[in-house]
Amino acid sequence: MDTFLDRLAEQHGIHTTRPSPQNVETPIEAEVKRKLLAALGVPFDGLQSMPDPQQDTGDLGRAIPRSYVPDFLKNQKIWGVSLQLYELRSDRNWGIGDFQDLVELARFGAELGADFIGLNPLHAPFLADPERCSPYEPSNRQMLNPLYIAVDKISGFESDPELFPRVLGVRQSELVDYQAVADVKITALRRLWNSLRSSGFPQSDAAAFQDFVQERGEPLRRHALFESLSFHMLKQARGTGWKSWPVEYRRPDSAEVVQFAEAHRDEIKFHMWLQWLAHQQLGNAVAAAKEAGMRIGLYLDLAVGEAIDGSATWSEPEVYISEATVGSPPDPFAPQGQDWHLAAIHPRKIATGDHAPFKRMVEAAMRYAGAIRIDHAAALRRLFLVPVDSAPDGGAYVNYPQLDLMQILSTASNKFRCVVIGEDLGVLPEGLQDDLVEGQILSYKILSYERDEEGFKPADSYPQLSLACISTHDHQTLTGWWRGADIVAREEHGIVSPEISAQHEEERESEREELTGALKQAAVDPPIRQPSARADDAKLEELVISAHRFIAKAPSLMVAVRLADMTGEKQPTNIPGTRDTYPNWKPKLSVKIENLKDVELLVNIAQAVNEERNAE
């Protein structure tokens, strides 16, 4: 063992062991330690003296700061509807769910008895490369996605007959055609921008836009500058991510970038305007939810990281680790580990200063949200970092300043009166679960994960300080799960072998029996009968409604009901492990917003959940 190297790694929060697929801790190779030390800005030459200790990682006995939980939640249980905003269909949108659809859905959800609408991350994507559409690999988490702007609701908009056929085409498509949607929306937005520039903005809009630009400051300007460069580089066949740009354009402070900014002032202002429009319209949706009586309003998801070549890493290169990416260690389902190709904020920078990156990212969401979900809550204490050009199993855990991050969450949460939910699935660092409870951060409970040796856990075993749900964007609907559609999909897309798939199908048969038993034990009304795996939709409706009654019975303060479950969707949102073989993040709902009220299953689920949530 290289004792000095181990001590140096530990000083900088690098773990010296990692889990194996057999869940046995194995030593980290010396070369991995050296690469991660270099990635953290601590090159190792074998001769230097010991460095200053790493900043506090949250284990020095400080009190756990508490996040906000509204008083009414202490004696009431609420529920809401979760969905992907882009999947919404309507008679007026432009081929992708937008902020006006969100207004209408919030009003409809409130009529059903829901207290919140849960959404996928609304972070800014690569606008010049709309096919990079995963909301969990955004370009910048501090900015919003302009594709969600309802163009027809902008002051001064007039219908353009030339664009109508294109709008109709993307509206009628079965999948979100991101490229076509972006083309038609950006074309219309540029025309409107030019028109308003010529005729003059309404005085109130001009003042509000100027205030927005001043308030958001340099981060907004750099994001708009990145977007302008991204479109410019696309025309030059240089690519939309900055890592493919000429070297002189890879930093926002270079002479060439400064010169570009001077020559493209109007284009930069246009992209600032898009952010302002998104801000205005999302704010309208927040107001609509509150006016409709929703006590939480919007529940927003926060991605765990950003793309390595996007706006965030280009705008603030000193904040991010450039020589390692976020992933996960080897486990039985991914024996080689995983590299998520996400940029990590440096642990020494993430919580530093009045304008700490984590604070800005959290507040960017909380200003609109009554609740947020922290994706991969383990990142509050550690991230698994994979050195660039290494295989995923050549990474190691690196500590993050947990208490500092929880303090930021607590302060922002209480400032904005925003509930915090931590996605705490999988293997967590020892003691983190207790810290989350003490910090009043709700746990995240998914029905299929809440099992032990005896089967599905009873509903009354769910912790009160939690959000419970049946399925999420990474899962089939309950009907799809019952039929084993997820098992079939993993085999069809080459994620698992036929032999493993057959084993999973055997296990699923037992799981069906266990779930039926749990529903019976919970005394859901009406009593549940176990349908076959091949049962049609009508025969599975009783099961679906009973399962929602079951989850609604849980003591959990919040329950999220997935809209895809309520409308009986057949296409999954996302199949983890696939990239080009399945249209992830593109399937639309089968039902328009205007027709949701006529979906019998949806109405029956809402009624069942209301009855259980409101029961004494």
Side-chain angles (χ1 to χ4, degrees), residues 1 19 21 31 117 146 165 257 312 544 547:
M1 175 186 291
E31 183 62 19
I117 298 294
V257 170
V544 173

Side-chain angles (χ1 to χ4, degrees), residues 7 25 132 218 239 268 295 315 394 414 489-490 499 508 531 558 569 606:
R7 291 178 63 198
E25 292 294 319
R132 291 181 70 171
E218 186 64 7
I268 293 168
R295 288 176 287 182
S315 296
N414 284 285
R490 284 193 292 270
E499 293 76 19
R508 182 59 50 83
M558 300 172 68
E569 298 305 314

Side-chain angles (χ1 to χ4, degrees), residues 96-111:
I96 187 171
D98 60 30
F99 291 130
Q100 183 60 32
D101 289 333
L102 181 56
V103 167
E104 301 304 325
L105 192 69
R107 291 168 178 163
F108 175 67
E111 291 176 4

Side-chain angles (χ1 to χ4, degrees), residues 479-504:
T479 297
W481 177 88
W482 187 267
R483 291 172 175 155
D486 55 323
I487 299 171
V488 173
R490 284 193 292 270
E491 181 180 344
E492 286 182 345
H493 292 279
I495 300 169
V496 300
S497 67
E499 293 76 19
I500 293 177
S501 186
Q503 177 185 337
H504 288 170

Side-chain angles (χ1 to χ4, degrees), residues 425-450:
L425 305 174
V427 178
L428 294 177
E430 184 178 354
L432 178 60
Q433 190 81 67
D434 292 336
D435 290 348
L436 295 178
V437 171
E438 188 173 343
Q440 292 194 146
I441 294 177
L442 275 64
S443 184
Y444 191 65
K445 300 299 181 183
I446 303 175
L447 176 64
S448 59
Y449 285 32
E450 293 305 300

Side-chain angles (χ1 to χ4, degrees), residues 182-342:
D183 288 345
V184 70
K185 283 202 169 189
I186 293 171
T187 296
L189 288 163
R190 287 190 190 280
R191 290 179 182 177
L192 182 55
W193 168 255
N194 291 331
S195 173
L196 290 171
R197 249 188 343 140
S198 300
S199 60
F201 286 84
Q203 187 172 357
S204 60
D205 285 356
F209 176 42
Q210 187 60 36
D211 289 345
F212 175 80
V213 170
Q214 290 182 351
E215 177 194 349
R216 301 302 170 89
E218 186 64 7
L220 173 64
R221 189 195 73 84
R222 286 197 177 185
H223 175 71
L225 174 55
F226 174 89
E227 294 284 57
S228 302
L229 269 167
S230 188
F231 275 97
H232 175 77
M233 292 297 177
L234 178 64
K235 292 177 183 177
Q236 305 298 318
R238 296 282 192 173
T240 57
W242 65 265
K243 285 181 177 286
S244 65
W245 298 351
V247 173
E248 59 269 24
Y249 289 95
R250 294 182 187 178
R251 290 191 63 90
D253 55 358
S254 73
E256 290 79 5
V257 170
V258 171
Q259 185 177 5
F260 177 91
E262 284 294 319
H264 295 82
R265 289 183 180 180
D266 185 70
E267 176 72 2
I268 293 168
K269 198 169 183 180
F270 168 72
H271 286 287
M272 291 180 175
W273 180 65
L274 295 186
Q275 286 299 312
W276 175 70
L277 290 175
H279 161 73
Q280 291 285 96
Q281 292 193 352
L282 181 55
N284 291 341
V286 173
K290 294 295 185 181
E291 289 168 7
M294 286 189 167
R295 288 176 287 182
I296 293 294
L298 301 186
Y299 153 38
L300 301 183
D301 212 353
L302 302 186
V304 69
E306 286 139 325
I308 59 175
D309 57 347
S311 160
T313 56
W314 181 84
S315 296
E316 299 183 272
E318 70 283 356
V319 164
Y320 291 85
I321 297 172
S322 61
E323 297 301 318
T325 53
V326 181
S328 62
D331 63 38
F333 297 100
Q336 304 305 314
Q338 299 178 59
D339 187 346
W340 300 337
H341 300 288
L342 295 173

